[in-house]
């Protein structure tokens, strides 16, 4: 927030103290000053009806300065030197704000010079009231054409530091309501406390009552003056701009026949596929019907070329790839078999070694650091936004901390205010009732008095608040409507009236202040200041909400903002700010007022609520994992009879398997904690789910394969388990290594959340694999010995008597083998068309998934921040401030450097200020709301020799404030042609530090201390200008799409400015670091998922014995799952962001578990044709995958639906459920069917391969 303005625009236009009596033409109506005016500090002019009097020579320079071009011939005029000095003092503020447009200021001076000094006064002036020798009222006849021309030349002039038109500060009302007539009337009205007596303007272009209106020549703002001054800039003169910029039209939606093109294309594609697929099946079936007696002939005869299931009959001998693959398969089998046998023979050695490794790795958790800082979570240190933020913070200081209230009232009571002095009735909403304002002020004062404790010290708002004018003014910045009333109950109650009427009260003061927030005098009879107690203006669009257009009286909400200083590198002062914010939050949670509804937030609120959300969901997560743990412990056992229930159960083995999974997670976290890599909440919440899915699946495969296996004659237990591990470990290695490589490659992402998750997940999955083929295999051997010894599970010391038991298949294995697999793979059942239809739908909507993260989703259901976010969307009318930062290196001391940046006379048409101004004209497109504040333009106005702003003591060279009266104070620059030009070279740097230290006051409203003290980074010893910024505001940004568009458009504008200046300029706003990720998230998503699938393809190709086609099928299925995830995201309203991208990367890993085991089982099957091989693979591996992943996860996921956290409900419950259901249906339904049609053919099955799966045959 830049406190633009801080101008004490209270001295509106002071009319010289003059006197007048009606005389004949070409005579004076006054001369000299006499008599004290009723307006404090002002004088009347003396009545004089004689001829003009020669001006003393010592007044020539002053006359030439004030009225250039008006030498009046022999310099016989109707004013003396004192009147000229009064005129100069009266016109200081107009000079400071309007002289940036020479034509405007020349016309204004024309008006006042003719009034004050013209030798022809009696032609257009009529004195109507006198008090002794003093004139106390005059009529001034002004030409309508002159008045309109003067107004037209001035109406667009900007006040750079306040982001408003200059007339808003000089007309007594908003510039949009100002016109030629009411502007001049305001300047001549004694209510402004500057005009000493009433001057009644009468507008006419023809003589009236014997008077000829003053109708001197005027200059248009597009014209240069005779003294060489150029025309006004485009920013100050819309006529000089040419046609208003027109935003490019929005690209029309892509349609075909007025329907969404993607939907039409995918619908047509699906119909074509369905036609060809159905036609091929029917044609083949009909052909077989005519030529083959049995429709199952082609299934049984895999060498029949007409069979849809046949392998390639031309391939009789193994290819080089198959031979290499077979050898690689044998090597893996031998290695894993030997290792499995070793683990069973030496269980305690393996378990002890595993325990030592896990303990050592997990010990790194003592160095664990959890990152909750949103900047660290969402923005990469190397990202453009992060680097720009660091640059901004290092040169200008960090963005302040915001504490804010949005106050509404349940009272519905619109009331009407009728101004006493005429005008339309003004409706006011209930929130602006005086009694409501008093209650809000009580609350505001109570907040100011909140006392917090930090390390035993009291901390009050005064200790941490922003004070832009310190040490001269130590009042805290409080952006509140109550600051229009100086935060005082007495001022709010201030009323001027009598027993019959109220002439002015808080209504009139409010209406004036929202039009001229920087004024020290509201020009009503109250004459109260509008400027805040901290020395800055309170812009109504920052302090009010819920109004329509600019009718601030219709506001339905009050917005109170307390900016606090931010101390990134000072932990003590930052700690004090945090302590006060916590005390504020506690106070507001306990505050209650039936007439006020309050939404509030502090800078720490979001981070606090995220922490609370994580803690509140611990119970839900614990229940979810408990359900999964219980299921795993019970489902691992294969119970043959009730008598052997405790013998055949594997509760202890299941618990051990779960502990191994958790140990792998802890080891991964510990190892990276050793490396100093911080954890995130996403890592803690997602990785256990992922590793549990992967680990439990592998546990079920190992255990169930052992349970179905028959020990060979003369085979010992360690040999049997070694053989089993040799059979299944390659499959487990395939899935785990694929996931590990995919995750580690995902760490190449620029998004910190995705990168951190990928690193931790990849290592956790690999450690889990190592522990399962070592520690778990040893534990399995011990459990098998216990079971063979008829000892009870858990209570191992109890032994059952021997008995003859018949070994049976488990229910799931029986169901998959006898019912599910044969049914799914029947000729007319295989439902591949359904999956292609779902895929077509998902492709059609993938580009419709929204991008971004709604802030409300990151909050708990019961968070006070939800109400605050809703109120922001409902009531606020202002976007975030945006800074256009000019990096170090630009030479501001040269005209070229100045012209590339400034927005006044002589500046480039494509300067920084001009381009931002042009962008603000099409704010709906550019998201830039207003003209930027420009320290450079204000500095040029401040340093002008005609102004009283820039002065210094001629004996010391020190700065002399405009309010100081001292003969030693002299103007910074001489009143010469060169002195009136912009300062360059040494002069530029000599006076700039003075400008940046000058506080605005009634004599000079252009002081730059408040508005620009942090905007200019000076070199040491003030030797030059480093980085600077020019601030404006975004338009209202309500959702992620708005924020993303605002960032994108600001960067486009900054790039255009950089090119035109040939110097680097960037746009910065506080939210850019959070939303930058969304500019590239589509590319990042495609890259991450593409790299993951590519890694899976490479690893699968190698570990499946170089079966390229099988790897392609795996990747096709995984890709379908991922695409279908986007379809689910669109249907379920899940947006694409870092959280959902992490889940998509995880779903890629879990999909490997659903697919790779089935494909490998198909690959090594010795059945005759594809259908039988697919059926065998589905029967043997499908039951383990279904029980290991689908059932395990299903119960735990359903519990997440009960979470209080919206982010859990949306991004975890919905996405996890979708991942499991899509993975299960594709892996256990689509994939076997696809393999039955186009699976890898086998031409040669060696005896080794036959032995590989002999144990898997029933």
């Amino acid at each position: 927030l830049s406190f633009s303005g801080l101008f004490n625009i209270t001295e509106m236009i002071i009319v010289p103290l003059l006197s007048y009596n009606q005389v004949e033409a070409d005579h004076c109506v006054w001369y000299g000053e006499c008599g004290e005016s009723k307006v404090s500090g002002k004088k009347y002019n003396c009545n004089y009806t004689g001829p003009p009097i020669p001006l003393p020579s010592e007044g020539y320079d002053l006359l030439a300065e004030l009225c250039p071009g008006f030498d009046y011939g022999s310099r016989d005029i109707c004013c003396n030197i004192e009147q000229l000095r009064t005129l100069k003092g009266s016109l200081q503020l107009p000079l400071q704000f309007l002289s940036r447009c020479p034509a405007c200021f020349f016309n204004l001076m024309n008006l006042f010079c003719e009034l004050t000094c013209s030798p022809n006064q009696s032609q257009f002036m009529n004195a109507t009231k006198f008090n002794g020798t003093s004139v106390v009222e005059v009529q001034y006849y002004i030409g309508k054409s002159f008045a309109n021309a003067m107004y037209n030349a001035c109406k667009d002039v900007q006040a750079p530091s306040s982001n408003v038109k200059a007339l808003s500060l000089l007309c007594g009302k908003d510039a949009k309501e100002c016109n030629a007539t009411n502007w001049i009337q305001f300047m001549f009205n004694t209510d402004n406390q500057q005009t000493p007596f009433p001057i009644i303007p009468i507008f006419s272009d023809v003589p009236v009552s014997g008077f000829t209106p003053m109708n001197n020549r005027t200059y248009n703002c597009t014209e240069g003056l005779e003294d060489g001054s150029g025309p006004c800039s485009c920013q100050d003169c819309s006529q000089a701009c040419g046609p208003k910029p027109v935003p490019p039209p929005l690209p029309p939606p892509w349609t075909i026949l007025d329907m969404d093109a993607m939907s039409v294309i995918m619908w047509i594609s699906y119909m074509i596929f369905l036609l060809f697929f159905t036609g091929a099946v029917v044609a083949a079936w009909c052909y077989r019907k005519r030529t083959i007696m049995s429709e199952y002939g082609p299934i049984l005869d895999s060498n029949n070329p007409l069979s849809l299931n046949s392998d390639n009959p031309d391939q009789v001998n193994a290819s080089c790839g198959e031979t290499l693959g077979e050898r690689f398969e044998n090597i893996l089998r031998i290695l894993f078999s030997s290792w499995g046998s070793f683990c069973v023979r030496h269980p305690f050695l393996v378990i002890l070694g595993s325990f030592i490794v896990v303990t050592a790795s997990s010990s790194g958790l003592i160095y664990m650091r959890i990152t909750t800082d949103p900047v660290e979570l969402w923005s990469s240190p190397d990202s453009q936004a992060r680097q720009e933020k660091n640059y901004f913070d290092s040169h200008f200081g960090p963005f302040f901390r915001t504490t804010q209230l949005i106050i509404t009232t349940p009272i519905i009571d619109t009331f009407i205010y009728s101004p006493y002095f005429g005008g339309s009735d003004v409706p006011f909403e209930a929130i602006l009732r005086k009694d409501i304002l008093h209650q809000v002020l009580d609350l505001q004062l109570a907040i100011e008095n909140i006392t917090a404790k930090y390390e035993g010290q009291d901390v009050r708002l005064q200790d941490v608040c922003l004070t832009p004018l310190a040490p001269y003014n130590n009042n805290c910045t409080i952006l509140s409507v109550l600051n229009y009333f100086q935060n005082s109950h007495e001022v709010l109650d201030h009323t001027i009236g009598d027993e019959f009427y109220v002439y002015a009260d808080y209504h009139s003061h409010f209406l004036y202040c929202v039009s001229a927030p920087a004024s020290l005098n509201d020009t009503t009879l109250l004459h109260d200041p509008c400027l805040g107690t901290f020395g800055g203006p309170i812009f109504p669009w920052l302090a009010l909400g819920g109004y329509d257009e600019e009718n601030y009286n219709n506001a339905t909400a009050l917005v109170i903002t307390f900016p606090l200083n931010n101390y990134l590198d000072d932990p003590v002062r930052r700690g004090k700010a945090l302590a006060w914010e916590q005390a504020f939050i506690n106070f507001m949670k306990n505050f209650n007022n039936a007439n006020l509804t309050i939404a509030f937030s502090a800078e720490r609120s979001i981070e606090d609520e995220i922490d609370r959300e994580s803690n509140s969901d611990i119970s839900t997560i614990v229940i979810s994992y408990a359900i999964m743990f219980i299921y795993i412990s019970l489902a691992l056992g294969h119970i043959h009879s009730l008598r052997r229930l405790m013998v055949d159960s594997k509760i202890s083995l299941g618990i051990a398997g779960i502990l191994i999974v958790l140990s792998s997670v802890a080891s991964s976290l510990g190892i990276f904690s050793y490396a100093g890599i911080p954890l995130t909440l996403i890592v803690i919440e997602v990785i256990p789910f992922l590793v549990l899915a992967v680990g439990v699946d592998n546990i079920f495969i190992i255990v169930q394969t052992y349970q179905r296996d028959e020990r060979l004659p003369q085979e010992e237990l360690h040999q049997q388990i070694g053989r089993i591990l040799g059979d299944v470990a390659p499959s487990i290695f395939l899935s785990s290594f694929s996931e590990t490589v995919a995750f580690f490659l995902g760490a190449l992402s620029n998004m910190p959340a995705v990168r951190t998750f990928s690193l931790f997940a990849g290592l956790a999955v690999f450690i889990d694999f190592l522990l399962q083929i070592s520690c778990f295999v040893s534990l399995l051997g011990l459990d098998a010995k216990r079971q063979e010894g008829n000892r009870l599970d858990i209570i191992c010391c109890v032994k059952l008597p021997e008995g003859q038991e018949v070994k049976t298949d488990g229910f799931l294995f029986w169901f998959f083998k006898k019912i599910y697999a044969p049914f799914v793979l029947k000729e007319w059942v295989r439902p591949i068309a359904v999956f292609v239809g779902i895929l077509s739908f998902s492709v059609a909507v993938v580009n419709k998934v929204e991008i971004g993260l709604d802030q409300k989703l990151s909050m708990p259901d019961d968070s006070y921040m939800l109400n605050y976010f809703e109120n922001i969307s409902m009531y606020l009318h202002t976007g975030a401030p945006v800074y256009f930062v000019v990096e170090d290196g630009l030479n501001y001391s040269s005209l070229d450097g100045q012209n590339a940046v400034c927005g006044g006379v002589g500046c480039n048409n494509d300067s920084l200020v001009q381009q931002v101004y042009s962008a603000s004209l099409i704010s709906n497109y550019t998201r830039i709301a207003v003209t930027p504040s420009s320290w450079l333009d204000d500095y040029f106005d401040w340093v002008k020799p005609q102004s009283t702003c820039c002065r210094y003591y001629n004996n010391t060279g020190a700065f002399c404030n405009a309010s100081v009266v001292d003969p030693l104070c002299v103007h910074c620059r001489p009143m010469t042609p060169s002195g009136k030009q912009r300062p360059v070279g040494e002069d530029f740097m000599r006076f700039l530090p003075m400008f940046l230290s000058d506080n605005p006051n009634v004599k000079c409203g252009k002081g730059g201390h408040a508005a620009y003290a942090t905007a200019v980074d000076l070199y040491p010893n003030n030797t030059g200008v480093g980085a600077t910024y020019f601030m404006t505001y975004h338009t209202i940004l309500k959702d992620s799409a708005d924020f993303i568009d605002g960032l994108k458009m600001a960067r486009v504008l900054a790039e255009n400015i950089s090119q035109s200046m040939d110097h680097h300029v960037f746009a910065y706003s506080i939210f850019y670091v959070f939303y930058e990720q969304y500019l590239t998230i589509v590319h990042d998503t495609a890259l991450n998922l593409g790299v993951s699938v590519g890694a899976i393809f490479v690893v699968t190709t190698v570990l499946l014995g170089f079966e390229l086609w099988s790897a392609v099928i795996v990747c096709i299925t995984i890709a379908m799952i991922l695409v279908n995830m986007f379809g689910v995201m669109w249907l379920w309203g899940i947006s694409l962001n870092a959280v959902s991208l992490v889940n998509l990367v995880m779903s890629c890993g879990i999909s490997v578990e659903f697919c790779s085991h089935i494909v490998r089982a198909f690959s090594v099957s010795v059945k005759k044709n594809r259908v039988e091989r697919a059926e065998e693979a589905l029967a043997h591996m499908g039951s383990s995958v279904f029980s290991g992943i689908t059932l395990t996860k299903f119960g735990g996921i359903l519990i997440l639906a009960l979470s209080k956290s919206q982010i859990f409900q949306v991004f975890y419950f919905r996405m996890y459920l979708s991942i499991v259901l899509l993975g299960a249906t594709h892996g256990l339904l689509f994939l076997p069917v696809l393999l039955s049609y186009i699976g890898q053919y086998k031409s040669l099955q060696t005896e080794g391969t036959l032995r590989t799966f002999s144990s898997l045959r029933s």
Side-chain angles (χ1 to χ4, degrees), residues 886 889-903 906-908 910-913 935-936 940 982-984 988 1025 1028 1030 1060-1063 1065:
V886 181
L890 184 67
N891 184 8
Y892 293 92
S893 297
S894 69
L895 285 177
D896 288 341
Q898 296 170 1
N899 291 337
V901 173
C902 63
C907 302
N908 296 344
D910 59 355
S911 69
L912 183 152
V913 172
W935 65 268
L936 190 58
F940 292 154
R982 292 191 217 147
V984 293
F988 183 88
V1025 176
T1028 69
F1030 297 78
S1060 64
M1061 289 178 58
D1062 194 23
H1063 186 84
V1065 175

Side-chain angles (χ1 to χ4, degrees), residues 15-20 29-35 43-48 83 86 115-116 121 133-136 196-197:
V15 178
L17 312 177
L18 314 163
S19 179
Y20 176 63
V29 296
W30 55 36
Y31 188 86
E33 297 179 342
C34 57
K43 290 184 178 181
Y44 293 124
N45 287 336
C46 302
N47 180 22
Y48 172 70
Q83 286 177 283
T86 299
L115 171 69
T116 307
Q121 282 179 336
T133 60
S134 301
V135 177
V136 297
F197 54 85

Side-chain angles (χ1 to χ4, degrees), residues 830-1142:
R830 289 183 267 181
I832 197 167
V834 175
F835 285 89
V836 176
I838 296 172
L839 176 67
S840 300
F841 165 79
S842 298
V843 172
V845 301
V846 71
N847 64 326
K848 300 175 180 62
V849 175
E850 292 187 0
I851 293 174
L853 175 62
D854 187 349
Q855 292 185 91
K856 294 191 287 290
L857 291 180
S858 62
M859 298 292 103
D861 282 342
D862 58 349
S863 173
Y864 64 89
M865 289 297 292
L866 294 177
N867 187 33
Y868 176 72
F869 289 141
E870 290 173 1
N871 276 259
I872 285 179
S873 299
M874 190 179 303
Y875 296 112
L876 261 59
H877 281 252
T878 308
V882 54
Y883 303 86
F884 287 88
V885 179
V886 181
E887 291 191 356
D888 188 5
L890 184 67
N891 184 8
Y892 293 92
S893 297
S894 69
L895 285 177
D896 288 341
Q898 296 170 1
N899 291 337
V901 173
C902 63
V905 177
C907 302
N908 296 344
N909 289 332
D910 59 355
S911 69
L912 183 152
V913 172
Q914 185 57 49
Q915 288 199 52
V916 179
Y917 166 73
S918 299
S920 70
L921 299 178
I922 46 174
S923 57
N924 288 338
Y925 173 71
T926 63
R927 304 286 183 174
I928 300 297
V930 293
T931 303
S933 59
S934 170
W935 65 268
L936 190 58
D937 289 289
D938 274 339
Y939 174 51
F940 292 154
D941 292 335
W942 180 87
V943 82
K944 286 178 179 177
Q946 303 96 316
S947 167
T948 59
C949 292
C950 186
R951 302 189 304 162
Y952 64 90
Y953 292 98
N954 62 5
N955 59 338
T956 64
F959 175 61
C960 176
N961 188 277
S963 60
V964 175
V965 179
D966 191 323
L968 294 176
C969 292
V970 297
H971 286 284
C972 296
R973 310 200 74 209
M975 191 67 65
T976 61
S978 62
K980 294 178 182 179
Q981 301 299 315
R982 292 191 217 147
V984 293
E986 294 182 359
D987 267 4
F988 183 88
M989 284 310 305
R990 179 183 177 190
F991 304 119
L992 180 60
M994 298 180 185
F995 166 70
L996 297 175
S997 65
D998 186 20
N999 289 326
N1001 55 69
V1002 293
K1003 298 288 186 179
C1004 175
K1006 285 283 187 175
H1009 183 198
Y1012 303 121
T1014 61
V1016 182
D1017 183 28
L1018 296 177
Y1019 291 157
N1021 300 320
N1022 299 328
T1023 56
V1025 176
T1028 69
Y1029 69 66
F1030 297 78
M1031 192 204 78
T1032 182
Y1033 288 89
H1034 278 297
T1035 54
I1036 307 163
L1037 307 174
K1038 293 186 176 181
D1039 54 30
S1040 292
D1042 288 345
F1043 283 102
I1044 296 167
D1045 193 42
L1047 165 59
K1048 188 186 303 180
M1049 296 310 300
R1051 285 195 170 170
V1052 169
L1053 179 56
E1055 179 62 27
N1056 290 339
I1057 294 171
S1058 298
Q1059 291 179 5
S1060 64
M1061 289 178 58
D1062 194 23
H1063 186 84
H1064 190 244
V1065 175
F1066 67 85
Y1068 170 74
S1069 190
I1070 188 66
F1071 67 86
Y1072 287 0
V1073 289
F1074 307 115
Y1075 286 90
E1076 184 188 39
Q1077 58 181 306
Y1078 302 123
L1079 297 181
T1080 58
I1081 195 166
V1082 173
H1083 172 268
D1084 290 342
T1085 300
L1087 179 63
N1088 273 278
L1089 298 182
V1091 167
S1092 296
V1093 173
I1096 292 168
F1097 171 77
V1098 172
V1099 174
T1100 303
T1101 300
V1102 174
L1103 296 185
L1104 280 181
F1106 301 96
E1107 290 189 5
L1108 191 66
W1109 187 242
S1110 294
V1112 169
I1113 291 175
V1114 169
C1115 292
I1116 287 174
T1117 309
I1118 293 173
M1120 287 182 65
I1121 294 173
L1122 294 175
V1123 172
N1124 288 336
M1125 279 296 298
F1126 282 100
V1128 171
M1129 289 170 66
W1130 180 78
L1131 285 173
W1132 226 336
I1134 303 172
S1135 56
L1136 179 61
N1137 50 58
V1139 180
S1140 52
L1141 178 53
V1142 165

Side-chain angles (χ1 to χ4, degrees), residues 1214-1233:
R1214 295 180 187 179
M1215 290 198 76
Y1216 285 5
L1217 184 63
S1218 304
I1219 290 169
V1220 171
L1221 292 181
L1222 287 175
T1225 51
H1226 282 76
L1228 303 178
L1229 190 56
F1230 170 77
L1231 181 58
V1233 172

